[in-house]
Amino acid sequence: MEKILSCMLSFFILLLLTSCTDDWMPYENTDYSVHYEVKGNIFVISEIESELLKLAAEYDDDVTLTFVRYQFESETSGTAEFQFFREYETDGKYYSILITIFANIDDSIIYKVNYEEGISKRVAGYRNAIIRKNENAYNIYVSSLYDIALAKRNDLSYSEVLYYGDNVVVCHFSKNNELISRSEL
């Protein structure tokens, strides 16, 4: 009888400890396959933001574009990631919605949308809208290549141009995924 009581007490304590975490809160993370061709210049956010916002509005109509990442594997190929974010409060708890749109930069085709919604501790994103929307990511990428020494440029695997808030950051990575250079514009 003591063993059963001890097991039940242990189970109750374990249940009590795990129920205090946010793991039991509602959470959704869904990928949607899409096929949409971006009409504007995919490298200039201000030219395509309204197109992207229409697509994001199919999942939530009150989000803001807060983060963009262009990943260049070469001058003609790579991917782009556009994140839309919104935070709201329900019953004293803060929840977030993060919609991420993925596109190929070589043909300007959006191929996937990821929708995440849950407690803000679990679903995190940038909160501030992008300010520098008129700067061309492709031009930034190409001009930044000249700032890398030729020996390091030969070891280049991919580069990223990141937009968030008032920041534009360029990072170059080696074939071992080591950071070669990072610069803020």
Side-chain angles (χ1 to χ4, degrees), residues 2 30 51 69 83 85-86 90-91 99 115 125 136 144 150 165:
E2 279 184 33
T30 308
E51 287 182 78
R69 178 177 66 108
Q83 290 186 358
F85 182 78
R86 174 170 75 93
T90 301
D91 298 328
I99 299 170
Y115 176 87
N136 187 309
S144 71
L150 186 57

Side-chain angles (χ1 to χ4, degrees), residues 96-160:
S96 299
I97 293 174
L98 181 65
I99 299 170
T100 308
I101 298 173
F102 298 90
N104 289 319
I105 60 174
D106 51 333
D107 59 6
S108 298
I109 299 290
I110 294 172
Y111 61 90
K112 180 171 82 169
V113 175
N114 176 265
Y115 176 87
E116 258 187 293
E117 182 175 7
I119 194 159
S120 290
K121 292 178 185 175
R122 189 168 193 179
V123 178
Y126 291 89
R127 286 172 170 72
N128 298 321
I130 295 172
I131 305 298
R132 297 167 64 180
K133 299 176 186 180
N134 293 320
E135 298 190 29
N136 187 309
Y138 180 78
N139 292 344
I140 292 169
Y141 159 68
V142 170
S143 67
S144 71
L145 291 175
Y146 297 111
D147 296 335
I148 302 173
L150 186 57
K152 288 186 177 183
R153 200 178 315 156
N154 290 334
D155 192 38
L156 185 66
S157 175
Y158 66 95
S159 301
E160 294 182 342

Side-chain angles (χ1 to χ4, degrees), residues 63-78:
V63 291
T64 302
L65 182 62
T66 58
F67 177 80
V68 175
R69 178 177 66 108
Y70 293 94
Q71 182 172 319
F72 295 92
E73 282 122 31
S74 71
E75 289 187 26
T76 57
S77 70

Side-chain angles (χ1 to χ4, degrees), residues 165-184:
D166 193 25
N167 300 307
V168 178
V169 178
V170 182
C171 299
H172 299 286
F173 296 91
S174 71
K175 293 176 178 134
N176 296 327
N177 285 332
E178 295 173 353
L179 183 65
I180 293 174
S181 71
R182 181 186 188 279
S183 60
E184 285 191 43

Side-chain angles (χ1 to χ4, degrees), residues 5 13-14 28 34 46 62 65 75 78 87 89-90 103 118-119 141 162 164:
L5 190 56
I13 291 172
L14 182 63
E28 181 180 348
V34 296
S46 62
D62 196 23
L65 182 62
E75 289 187 26
E87 190 173 59
E89 182 183 358
T90 301
I119 194 159
Y141 159 68
L162 310 168
Y164 54 94

